Amino acid sequence: MTFDWSVVWQHRDALLAGTATTVLLTVMTMVIAVPCGMAVAALRLYARAPVRAVATAYVELFRNLPLILVVYWAFYVLPITTGLGLSPLATGLAALALNVTAYNAETFRAGINSIRKGQIEAATALGMSRPQALRRVVIPQALRRVLPILASTWVSLFKDTSLVSVIAVSELAYVSMQIRSQTFRVLEMLTAMAAIYWLLGYPQAKLVDWIQRRFVVTE
Amino acid sequence: MTEPNATPSHRAKDAGAKIIRYQGVVKRYGNFQALNGASLDVHAGEVVCLIGPSGSGKSTLLRCTNGLESVEGGDIEFEGARLPRDERALRGVRRRMGMVFQSFELFPHLTALANVAEGPRTVLRMRRLEAERRALAMLDKVGLSDKVSSYPSALSGGQQQRVAIARALAMEPDVMLFDEPTSALDPETVGEVLNVMKKLADEGMTMVVVTHEMSFARHVGDWIAVFDAGRVVEQGPPTQIFDAPTTERTRDFLSHLGWTG
Amino acid sequence: MEFDFSVITDHARFLASGVGVTLALAGLSGICSLTLGFAVALLRLYGPAWLRPIAVLYIDSMRAIPVLVVLVWTFFALPIVSGITMPPFIAALIGLTLHLAAYAAEIVRAGVESVRAGQTRAALALGMSRVQLVRRILLPQAIVRMLPAFGSLLSITIKDTAIASVIAVTELMRQSETVAGQSFQPIEVFTFAMLVYFGLLFPVTRGVDLIYRRVAHLGRS
């Protein structure tokens, strides 16, 4: 059995483009999912009971479904319900955003709830309104606790972008497997795919470790 | 220590205006009756100390005073007007009261200076420089000018509590509420906080203090209220409460503390 | 818009077999990854010094590579290097086990390290050997602390079985795709799949919460 590793180099442009798409998907999902997650968390914490229930249902639903299923479901359902012909990329992005927003909402909610009640009382005793207390006292502290978890979510998201390959989005996994099919260089391409993810993912995982050490919360 | 107050067992007729009036205050937590008709007056310039066993309602009454807890029955009057129920109006009341907590509750993400300036900046809408100037003055008053740039995590318990007092004072309140201010402190640092409180008292600040520090109550307090099971069972000047208590409950409480005068 | 859910009942047995495979795959990978994870964690904590960097490399690599990639490589590439062909289910089992064991190892390590150092000192002062210390004092407390994280890992395990559809394992996701493709009723079929997965996962998360609340006091020191 001969191995021809040059096939990886020959297709480096396609692989690079795939990597770029992977990064793009990750960034754009977070750009959507962080503010949306904050909004959903705020709804869960402060809105009227019916709205709170809907927000909670949303979070619980997406935390308890496999992402790959959400991707498929989005692919088939979104065109019909929205009437739009969304590209696979947009569909994949929508599925990822729905999923990560739910996780972020839970992260933000837990972060805010972890702030001691006494802090809010001290702010109230000074005469602050609720929005003032949130803005000046709760959120600055919650951010420190939330950051390590968001970093961890980022890394998971980076890996999860590989799942949108099933609806033919040209991110790294899809591109690698296409090249494999075209060149029949199975071992080389799949190993290259794993290696590229490793090269990208390993430093990110280490960065998350560093963030978690740096932002450790001592009461 | 100054001379113990030589007031007779009724309040002097020329005592200052009634700053706070508690009339039959009732408060329940679920099945637990925290306050069961507590009544008490606080006059301007007085240091009123609330003492009594744990769970007798002292802290609860304090927290009802600035609306952190709501009352279910009875009245609380502040400066002649009933405590409002509306949140916005309550905020206005809170600006005129300063509160110091047992767990200090400094804002950990702000320096000492920023902590003290926070109230004036955010609530009184002062400009940052003005607020910081006021904060510096307050920190100086509590003896912490050298710690203005320190974060709470770098300060001892006593220092943190003094910053907390400065933070409350920066709002220039009409009355200061202290909720067991020294209960969470190491014995060595209790003194520095009590000294600051005594200084405030000497300057004529109206203070309501929930405390277990009987020495402080005896020597700095003008009026003592003994709590038990949600009511005031005895009240009077320190000479009465500590030297000649008139109720069994008070005597029991003091003897349990090992109070020998 | 009309929905015709009879497509579900028509293919009930087919889909049910998918659920069976999902559960089997999740259960087996769960057990295997737990075992492997424990072993790796103990090696990392108490094993010979030269072994530790290898354990760390393994754990961190699995944090970097997506499950999809691990599964695909195990099914398509591993047979080429090893000369052994394997059915999709076995490939999925191996791939999932390797991936999840890394996370399990981290959970075990964090759990053990979170038990207060004073406990170790107290046990050693009583004259216990290190083995006794780990077995009788550290692990029992650590296991309680690990429960919520393991619950979450179980949830992830079940979700990851769906990715095995990509290498043609006949679990629920794959069976749903097949039925959806044949019947041209993807909405009904995938909605049904969502209900099933939710029905499996929601109780797992809630159940772990409840159990943890009951036993949490045993782990507090």
Side-chain angles (χ1 to χ4, degrees), chain A residues 17 32 36 45 48 55 85 94 106 126 131 146 150-151 153 164 166 168 193 214:
Chain A
I32 298 173
C36 286
L45 287 167
R48 290 193 321 271
E106 187 58 16
L126 280 174
V146 153
L150 280 182
T153 304
V164 305
V166 301
M193 172 173 70
R214 172 97 169 55

Side-chain angles (χ1 to χ4, degrees), chain A residues 98-122:
Chain A
L98 278 170
N99 180 273
V100 178
T101 297
Y103 282 97
N104 284 349
E106 187 58 16
T107 303
F108 290 126
R109 187 183 73 102
I112 293 203
N113 278 343
S114 72
I115 306 300
R116 292 155 50 108
K117 196 168 145 247
Q119 289 286 299
I120 303 174
E121 287 184 348

Side-chain angles (χ1 to χ4, degrees), chain A residues 116 119 121 124 132 136, chain B residues 63 94 105-106 109 118:
Chain A
R116 292 155 50 108
Q119 289 286 299
E121 287 184 348
T124 309
Q132 283 175 328
R136 309 282 304 175
Chain B
R63 293 153 64 84
R94 287 178 187 138
E105 298 301 345
L106 290 185
H109 58 296
E118 183 63 17

Side-chain angles (χ1 to χ4, degrees), chain A residues 116-130 132 135-138 140-141 144, chain B residues 63 66 68 91 94-95 97 99 101 103 105-109 118-119 121-123 125 167 171:
Chain A
R116 292 155 50 108
K117 196 168 145 247
Q119 289 286 299
I120 303 174
E121 287 184 348
T124 309
L126 280 174
M128 287 195 210
S129 66
R130 161 112 95 199
Q132 283 175 328
R135 214 165 29 90
R136 309 282 304 175
V137 175
V138 176
Q141 294 185 58
R144 278 187 70 96
Chain B
R63 293 153 64 84
N66 68 350
L68 283 181
R91 286 206 292 275
R94 287 178 187 138
R95 285 169 206 186
M97 299 184 188
M99 188 168 221
F101 298 84
S103 49
E105 298 301 345
L106 290 185
F107 305 133
H109 58 296
E118 183 63 17
R121 275 190 74 187
T122 304
V123 179
R125 305 210 173 279
R167 179 176 65 178
M171 300 293 285

Side-chain angles (χ1 to χ4, degrees), chain A residues 55-164:
Chain A
T56 304
Y58 164 76
V59 170
E60 287 301 313
L61 179 67
F62 281 94
R63 287 178 66 206
N64 286 297
L65 291 177
L67 179 52
I68 191 172
L69 175 56
V70 176
V71 170
Y72 273 118
W73 190 86
F75 187 69
Y76 288 109
V77 174
L78 278 184
I80 298 179
T81 51
T82 61
L84 307 164
L86 288 176
S87 68
L89 183 71
T91 309
L93 181 61
L96 288 168
L98 278 170
N99 180 273
V100 178
T101 297
Y103 282 97
N104 284 349
E106 187 58 16
T107 303
F108 290 126
R109 187 183 73 102
I112 293 203
N113 278 343
S114 72
I115 306 300
R116 292 155 50 108
K117 196 168 145 247
Q119 289 286 299
I120 303 174
E121 287 184 348
T124 309
L126 280 174
M128 287 195 210
S129 66
R130 161 112 95 199
Q132 283 175 328
L134 278 176
R135 214 165 29 90
R136 309 282 304 175
V137 175
V138 176
I139 289 178
Q141 294 185 58
L143 234 46
R144 278 187 70 96
R145 292 151 203 256
V146 153
L147 198 64
I149 304 179
L150 280 182
S152 178
T153 304
W154 167 283
V155 173
S156 292
L157 169 60
F158 189 82
K159 295 188 293 177
D160 285 343
T161 56
S162 60
L163 294 177
V164 305

